Amino acid sequence: MFGRLTPLVKNLLYINIGIWLVQFLLKMDLGSRFGLYFIASDNFNPVQFITYMFLHDTLSPMHIFGNMFALFIFGPLLEQFLGPKKFIILYMVTGVGAGLFYTGANYLEVSAIKNDVESYLDNPNSEDFNRLIAKHNVYKPEYIYPFIEQYSRNEDSPQLRQESIQYARGLYAFFGDYPMVGASGAIFGILAAFALLFPNTELFLLFLPFPVKAKYLVTVYILYELFAEFQRAQGDNVAHLAHIGGAIIAFFLVTFWKKSRREFY
């Protein structure tokens, strides 16, 4: 089973899984320091554009499993076709690029949230709180909606006003001081590159009784990421824009390489 692994894919699997196991077994949270923070955060460091892509959430084993499984399936053929040099360039450039893409889009979103939160903190009241939550809600409805109703009925309560301020600050903290971790940007780069270079390769999925060509599967997956980003469900903390960014960067990178196929090695 593991005989088909190519050297770089094997090493990337070892690094990602090894770091995850160290965190899990020693109960360490490297993401709090080396995950990718919002650029205006006090916790931001430029090196995080590289380190974030080798970290995964220890509370969600499916996070690292999904990424490493995709690397295991699609990586070896790409490494053989592109050669080790271009493969590691693809992996690193799409991973770092996904972080940059996400940061750029996130800056616009977080700046808007920061302005709205600061505006609310200047004059806390139930009406503005309702608007703030409706616009930027990441809280689960089972506990935020009862509070909204209670605060609306007792707007003069100092305790409820203080709680509303904590909720408002929590909104900014969620988006502005919450680190992103994971190799998903690089993995989406690999998926996009595979679909571009081997578009008609038929893939068998466990939940479908028929094969699907790579170009269709990856296209649908990227469209889903777009939908998930713009129709974001409450509590969804997945960096869909990083996934999309990795795929976009892979498109331009592979398109450039395909124009000079003689350079493949």
Side-chain angles (χ1 to χ4, degrees):
M1 177 179 180
F2 294 99
R4 67 186 292 273
L5 285 177
T6 47
L8 278 176
V9 169
K10 184 184 296 185
N11 287 332
L12 286 170
L13 288 170
Y14 286 160
I15 292 170
N16 281 278
I17 295 173
I19 291 174
W20 187 88
L21 285 174
V22 168
Q23 291 188 96
F24 179 77
L25 295 175
L26 299 182
K27 300 186 184 304
M28 300 172 61
D29 182 18
L30 295 178
S32 63
R33 181 172 182 181
F34 296 106
L36 181 56
Y37 282 89
F38 177 55
I39 57 174
S41 169
D42 293 337
N43 295 314
F44 172 73
N45 188 313
V47 74
Q48 294 166 358
F49 282 112
I50 295 175
T51 57
Y52 91 94
M53 56 192 287
F54 295 100
L55 300 170
H56 292 81
D57 185 0
T58 56
L59 299 178
S60 177
M62 289 305 297
H63 185 206
I64 188 169
F65 175 79
N67 282 341
M68 295 304 101
F69 183 73
L71 178 61
F72 172 81
I73 295 297
F74 298 101
L77 183 56
L78 279 175
E79 184 178 342
Q80 291 172 4
F81 183 78
L82 295 172
K85 183 177 179 179
K86 280 191 168 66
F87 179 79
I88 196 61
I89 289 174
L90 172 70
Y91 189 89
M92 294 301 298
V93 169
T94 54
V96 173
L100 290 169
F101 187 89
Y102 171 80
T103 296
N106 194 41
Y107 180 83
L108 298 176
E109 181 180 11
V110 174
S111 295
I113 293 172
K114 183 179 181 180
N115 290 336
D116 290 344
V117 169
E118 289 178 347
S119 177
Y120 176 73
L121 296 181
D122 288 339
N123 181 30
N125 62 84
S126 63
E127 185 176 350
D128 286 346
F129 181 76
N130 292 349
R131 280 198 290 263
L132 180 68
I133 293 299
K135 187 176 180 181
H136 304 296
N137 187 22
V138 295
Y139 296 112
K140 294 182 179 179
E142 56 265 29
Y143 67 85
I144 190 63
Y145 289 164
F147 174 78
I148 290 174
E149 182 177 356
Q150 186 180 15
Y151 186 33
S152 297
R153 293 178 177 177
N154 303 276
E155 185 176 27
D156 295 330
S157 168
Q159 179 181 349
L160 294 177
R161 185 179 298 113
Q162 186 59 38
E163 287 185 41
S164 76
I165 290 173
Q166 293 174 358
Y167 276 121
R169 287 174 174 164
L171 283 174
Y172 174 71
F174 180 86
F175 290 99
D177 212 27
Y178 188 87
M180 178 178 72
V181 297
S184 299
I187 296 303
F188 264 78
I190 285 178
L191 292 175
F194 189 93
L196 289 165
L197 294 170
F198 310 105
N200 295 314
T201 299
E202 293 188 334
L203 305 171
F204 287 88
L205 305 178
L206 294 176
F207 53 86
L208 290 178
F210 52 84
V212 180
K213 291 185 177 180
K215 59 184 178 183
Y216 299 134
L217 177 63
V218 174
T219 298
V220 169
Y221 201 178
I222 293 173
L223 289 175
Y224 164 76
E225 291 294 324
L226 280 169
F227 173 82
E229 173 62 29
F230 292 105
Q231 299 292 327
R232 184 174 290 274
Q234 289 177 336
D236 181 2
N237 63 348
V238 176
H240 300 288
L241 287 176
H243 302 173
I244 297 166
I248 291 174
I249 293 168
F251 171 81
F252 286 109
L253 193 57
V254 172
T255 300
F256 172 75
W257 283 339
K258 287 175 72 173
K259 290 181 179 179
S260 54
R261 296 184 69 89
R262 291 177 299 175
E263 295 184 7
F264 278 121
Y265 54 88

